[in-house]
Each structure stands twice: as C-alpha cells, then as structure tokens.
Amino acid sequence: MAEMISLSINGVSIRVPAGTMVAAAVLIAGETMFRRSVSGEARGPLCGMGVCFECRVTIDEAPHCRSCQIICRDGMKVRTG
Amino acid sequence: MTEARRTVDILVVGAGPAGMAAAVRARESGRGVLVLDDNPAPGGQIWRGGQEHSPSARASSWFAKMAASGAQVIAGARIVDGDAKRQCLTVEMPDSAFEVSYDKLILATGARELFLPFPGWTIPGVMGVGGLQALVKSGLPVTGKRIVVAGSGPLLLAAAAYFRAHGAIVPIVAEQAPVSRLAPFASRLAKHPGKLFQAAALRLALHRSRYRSSCWAIRASETERLESVQLQQHNRVWLEPCEYLAVAYGFISNVELAVLMQCQTGAAGVRVNDLQETSQNQIYCAGECTGIGGVDLSIIEGEIAGYAASGRDDLAGNLFKKRDKARQFAAALESAFALRDELRSLADAGTIICRCEDVTRERLEPMRSWRSAKLQTRCGMGPCQGRICGPILEFLLGLHPESVRPPVFPARVETLLRQEEETRPT
Ligand SMILES: Cc1cc2nc3c(=O)[nH]c(=O)nc-3n(C[C@H](O)[C@H](O)[C@H](O)COP(=O)(O)OP(=O)(O)OC[C@H]3O[C@@H](n4cnc5c(N)ncnc54)[C@H](O)[C@@H]3O)c2cc1C
Ligand code: FES
C-alpha cells in the first residue's frame, strides 16, 4: 500500500496516496470546477500535461499553479475557483 | 536554491523516450550530459510518472540505461527562454531560476494533443485522450466511471484499453476516420508488431460495435459538469451519458522552443538532416517535435541525435535504415487517420475557440491573419500562448501562427529580470 498523505481542498481535508497529482486530488475531492474563465465559465483540466493552463488553482496562497504538474504534499492547502 | 549558472557539454530538453535515448547515447561517448524536463518525473508522455509507473519492458530498460548512464536529470525544470547565439537557455524551477550554457543542444520537446472545438468542449469533464490518461496515471481513480473516448488516432484504442483496465466503463470509442481507410491500415499493421497498439487489437476493435468509425462528438452538456455527449455517425445522432469525455484529434509537434532558437520548421515539425541536426549550428532535434511518428521513431531519432551530438556519426549512421522503416509507418498512420472536412464545422458561431481569453468563432471568422486575431480579439494572448488555439485556428480558418516571442512559457518576473542582468554587457 502506498503511503497516504493529507491535504485540504477548499477547506475540506482529504487523504490521497503519496505521489498523487494535485489535479487528481481535486477531482477525488469531488470538485470539477478548477477555475472560472474570463467570462465566468467553469473550467477544468484539458491537456493533463502542463500546456493549456485550464487546471490552474491556488496552492498555499500561490495563485495560478498548474495542478496537473504539481504533486501533492502533506499539509498542502488547495483552493479552486 | 540552484546556482544561477551552469555549463554543460550536451544539454537535452525533454526527458521523454527521445530525450532519454539521446542522453544515454551521448553519455556513451563520454560527454557530460544534463537533461531538463518540465514534468515532475522523467518519462515524457508515454512513460509518464517515471520508472514505477512504466508499463513496458522497453520502458524499464530505458529507465535502467538512463540511471546507469550518469546523465544528470533535473525534473520540474521549464525552459522559458533561450539564445542560440550565446548558446544558452533560461530555466525556471518551482522556486528558483538559472541559466545553462551548452556546447550542443538536443531538443526533444515532444508533442501535445490537437483539440478541435465543438459546442460544450469547455465543460469540466471534457479532456484530451492522453490528457485524461495522464490524470489517471497521476492518481485519478476511474473505477465505475463512464468514459466516452472520441477523436482520432491509435491513442484512442490504447487509452480506452487503459481506462477499462482501471475499472472504467467505456461504452464507445468514436473514431472520425472511415473504415475504408482504417481497414487497409490494420492489415498493414500486422507487419509491424509491437507498434503503438497491436494489429490484432485494432482488427478486433473494428469488428466490435464499441469501436465506431466515421463517428464523432458534436455537442457536450451541461454547463458546470459534464453529463452527456451527443455523437454522430452517418445520419444518426444520439446521446451518450458519461462522466468524462476524452477527445482529441491526434498530435501537434511542440516546436515553440526550436522556433525561438531560430531553427527552421516545416509542415510536420522542426526540420532536421540525416543526423537530426537542425538548421542551427549545434542544435539537434529528435522525437515527436520533428513530426508525429510514435514512440519507436522517437527512440531511434533520439539515439541518432545523441550519437551525432557527441561526434559519433558512424554509430548514428547504423540506425538510418531502422529510422526509414519507422518513418514509413508514420506516413501510413497519418494517411489512415487524416482529418475529415466535416470537423471544420463542428464549432458554431458562439463556440469558444481561445479558452484563455474566451474568444468565440464569430469574432475570429473575419480575421485574415494571426496578428490581427491577436490584436483585435486577444486570441492566443493568454497563458497557453496559442498552444491550444493556434493549431485550431490553422485547421478552421487557415491562419498560420507567427514567430515565437520569449518567454515561451509564462515566466516569473524574477526569472526575466535575472536574465536581463546576465545579458547586460559587463
Ligand atoms: C498527453 C499525451 C499522451 C500520450 N500517450 C501515449 C501513449 O499512451 N502511447 C503512445 O504510444 N504514445 C502516446 N503519446 C504519443 C507520445 O508523444 C509518443 O509516443 C512519445 O511519448 C514521444 O516521445 P518524445 O520523447 O518525442 O516526446 P514526449 O514523450 O512528449 O517528451 C517530451 C518532453 O519534453 C518536455 N518539454 C517540452 N517542452 C519543454 C520545455 N519548454 N521545458 C521543459 N521541458 C519541456 C515535456 O515535459 C516532455 O516530458 C502521447 C502523447 C501525448 C501528448
Ligand atoms: S490540464 Fe492543461 S495545464 Fe494542466
């Protein structure tokens, strides 16, 4: 069994296996809307490889992080929207 | 914090199959090799997630060769700028930045998926085929989820099999190419065992109702969370409920960094000679960024570039025949999965084309050049810098993207400032 780590997604704490990407953790937490587009549409990951920037979230207060390229760390605080 | 400046004999950008093969062969000749990749682990697209997640014996063997080679790898390193004359690149890490000077540069930046817009393609839950596969490889469980796979190319079948193996329900795989092109390709495949996917698998799939040819997605709904997708095959249109729609129409070479380094490109990708040398002195290019050809061709090109960059043209030459064969296969692939004209009319007037700036088709329709599209609508001015909408505009309206301006990826202000300081004459 992989080691489990905890992080919070929009204030809700979840546990995921170590090595999980932040984008996967956000979807595991049941959130589908990662960001709002300039005209207010809900958006989520598209390319899964770091080029489209649709999966951007705020991680530990740093805005515009590409969640498909960042691995979850224990205690991380992720915000969508 | 990493030191601000490094110097290396051979610098490789991209740690996918092509970059790994290049690094291994270059090290064999005793040169110092540094490999940089934006992803958190080496492996590129197909071997994503590094050694633990590598599915095939061949992947494991390249990871082992790589580890034994002594090539240094830095993951999570994104190239944001470069200067061909000064022979250096600017690299951004999560919390630092540095410059690397090289003697020889090997670009192995791979490819990305081609997305074609249709009403609803921006809804969360609509993703790329390799895109969703990448998320599953990164820890997203899909057990019991309904995933419709659509678009074009061999990746559709490989991904569908992958999703099923991870417990997903794949009710249908919708391939836009007609059976009249796929069937001859399938028989040809039998001569190339171990290709992108097995010949037998494709032939079997063609006979199974779940794999539909001449079939594509025309609309996705609802607005905040995907619930279903409308599919069309010939004159029939129906609704397929799903939680994810994985849809992409093949691949586009990542040529941006090569263009920034002033390497010439052609219709397929970066132009190279027999030794994988680009039009720029000291710069080589290998893998999908020279044109889409699959993993076999990427590895061979990487090996040739690695040998050639380290002065072993003789060893490079031994691989030319093997490369020719792989290229023939790539050409057959391209014609089998050629995109049909109907796909140009999937997006209606109100469909968003540029997802960064929310620019709709009707606003882009009157534009006569990329430049005017950018200036008048902001299309391509967002953080993806036209990587997603550029190929779409080319396919829909025939507008060719203009030259690349630095930074090739949005960079932090500190990185750009540092670079300015270093280029200032002292
Ligand atoms: C999302 C996706 C999924 C795919 N899945 C499969 C599959 O399952 N099976 C299959 O046969 N083929 C798959 N392919 C096709 C695949 O591209 C090739 O088979 C193979 O991975 C090509 O190897 P490569 O080394 O040429 O490029 P890649 O494997 O794409 O490697 C290129 C590397 O360069 C890095 N890079 C690019 N630009 C920069 C930069 N500016 N700075 C730093 N690093 C950079 C990238 O992070 C990447 O790791 C997939 C392609 C994509 C886009
Ligand atoms: S999903 Fe495209 S950048 Fe993350």
Side-chain angles (χ1 to χ4, degrees), chain B residues 338-395:
Chain B
L339 298 180
R340 55 172 70 229
D341 280 338
E342 289 98 316
L343 301 174
R344 290 193 171 83
S345 41
L346 290 183
D348 60 28
T351 305
I352 283 174
I353 306 295
C354 166
R355 301 171 63 121
C356 295
E357 299 288 340
D358 285 357
V359 187
T360 56
R361 179 171 191 154
E362 62 193 341
R363 291 181 55 209
L364 290 163
E365 208 66 65
M367 301 300 150
R368 290 289 156 262
S369 71
W370 237 116
R371 204 179 147 69
S372 51
K374 273 187 161 178
L375 292 178
Q376 292 179 44
T377 70
R378 291 196 53 80
C379 182
M381 303 278 274
C384 97
Q385 300 184 325
R387 281 181 173 76
I388 305 298
C389 62
I392 296 173
L393 240 58
E394 186 148 11
F395 184 76

Side-chain angles (χ1 to χ4, degrees), chain B residues 279-292:
Chain B
S279 61
Q280 275 291 325
N281 249 341
Q282 325 296 356
I283 305 183
Y284 297 74
C285 193
E288 305 268 60
C289 46
T290 67
I292 304 308

